[in-house]
Amino acid sequence: MSERAALYLRVSTSEGQQTEENQRRELREFVENEGYDLVGEYVDHESGRKGRNEREAFDRMFEAAESREFDTLVFWSLDRFSREGIRKTIAYLQQLDSLSVGFRSYTEPYLNTDDELVSHILLAVMSYFAEYEAKKISRRTKAGIERAREEGKQIGRPQKFDQHREEIEQMIEQGASKAEMSRKTDLAWSTVDRYVERIESD
């Protein structure tokens, strides 16, 4: 009995280089030549940066995979499958693997999970690079934040203390009570008390 294959095609409306029919014709021929039994086609006209819930055909494809309606998913290339970032893309592929559904990329022959051993090695290697990329991005982000702080730039939203400091300092000079400061700033009395102590200790 032939393995059942499904096609996933995606063409973004903002990309005119690749047409749906070009993908469909070549993928159908590929599936036939590889001896699969074609049982489904799922086509999206959306950006690959959109998630599963925002791509109707992508979502239906996963529902079919969960129901074991096909054995192998064939797509044109990994960026046609998803452009949500490497970690999210790997998570989708691992989800297919957990459902015992293989995947093949038409333009990337190394993305082929027909061999179970190759499949596990492939996913392990891709997961490693996804994690490595995430750590690299995290290091770059932290370095950028540290550099901005050294340059005296504000990181994130201003703290409430910084927003109210000047106003509270003026009221301290005017001899206003903490209760009055609380009313005028809409801050809790305990917060005003803490801010006043901080100002006086600076």
Side-chain angles (χ1 to χ4, degrees), residues 112-176:
N112 178 357
T113 59
D114 275 358
D115 184 306
E116 186 176 358
L117 177 61
V118 172
S119 170
H120 291 162
I121 293 173
L122 175 63
L123 287 170
V125 170
M126 293 178 76
S127 296
Y128 169 80
F129 279 107
E131 189 65 28
Y132 175 78
E133 181 66 17
K135 289 179 179 178
K136 189 166 67 173
I137 292 171
S138 177
R139 287 196 297 269
R140 285 202 301 262
T141 301
K142 288 177 181 177
I145 291 173
E146 188 60 34
R147 185 168 59 251
R149 282 179 176 153
E150 289 173 358
E151 294 172 357
K153 295 178 181 178
Q154 176 71 43
I155 305 298
R157 297 175 60 185
Q159 295 183 355
K160 277 190 175 183
F161 175 75
D162 295 326
Q163 293 175 336
H164 294 283
R165 177 167 187 154
E166 185 176 348
E167 183 181 6
I168 292 175
E169 284 178 340
Q170 290 177 353
M171 286 190 281
I172 290 173
E173 291 176 1
Q174 295 167 1

Side-chain angles (χ1 to χ4, degrees), residues 2 16 18-19 30 54-55 70 78 87 100-101 107 116 125 144 161 166 172-173 180 184-185 189 197:
S2 299
Q18 177 73 57
T19 70
F30 173 73
E54 298 175 289
R55 284 189 275 161
F70 58 89
L78 199 59
R87 298 192 76 186
S100 298
V101 173
T107 60
E116 186 176 358
V125 170
F161 175 75
E166 185 176 348
I172 290 173
E173 291 176 1
E180 186 178 351
K184 289 186 176 180
T185 59
W189 187 94
E197 285 186 9

Side-chain angles (χ1 to χ4, degrees), residues 40-120:
E41 296 182 3
Y42 303 89
V43 184
D44 273 318
H45 295 87
E46 300 284 355
S47 167
R49 292 186 174 86
K50 292 186 176 181
R52 174 175 171 176
N53 294 335
E54 298 175 289
R55 284 189 275 161
E56 182 183 352
F58 195 67
D59 185 50
R60 285 192 290 105
M61 178 271 293
F62 266 103
E63 288 179 350
E66 290 160 2
S67 299
R68 293 295 285 115
E69 294 178 19
F70 58 89
D71 306 301
T72 300
L73 179 70
V74 180
F75 44 82
W76 182 266
S77 62
L78 199 59
D79 68 342
R80 293 292 99 189
F81 176 73
S82 173
R83 297 185 68 184
E84 293 179 72
I86 188 167
R87 298 192 76 186
K88 191 69 174 179
T89 300
I90 296 302
Y92 287 137
L93 297 178
Q94 288 174 327
Q95 186 176 350
L96 288 174
D97 183 63
S98 71
L99 297 168
S100 298
V101 173
F103 58 84
R104 297 190 66 173
S105 169
Y106 174 68
T107 60
E108 298 148 335
Y110 58 88
L111 292 179
N112 178 357
T113 59
D114 275 358
D115 184 306
E116 186 176 358
L117 177 61
V118 172
S119 170
H120 291 162

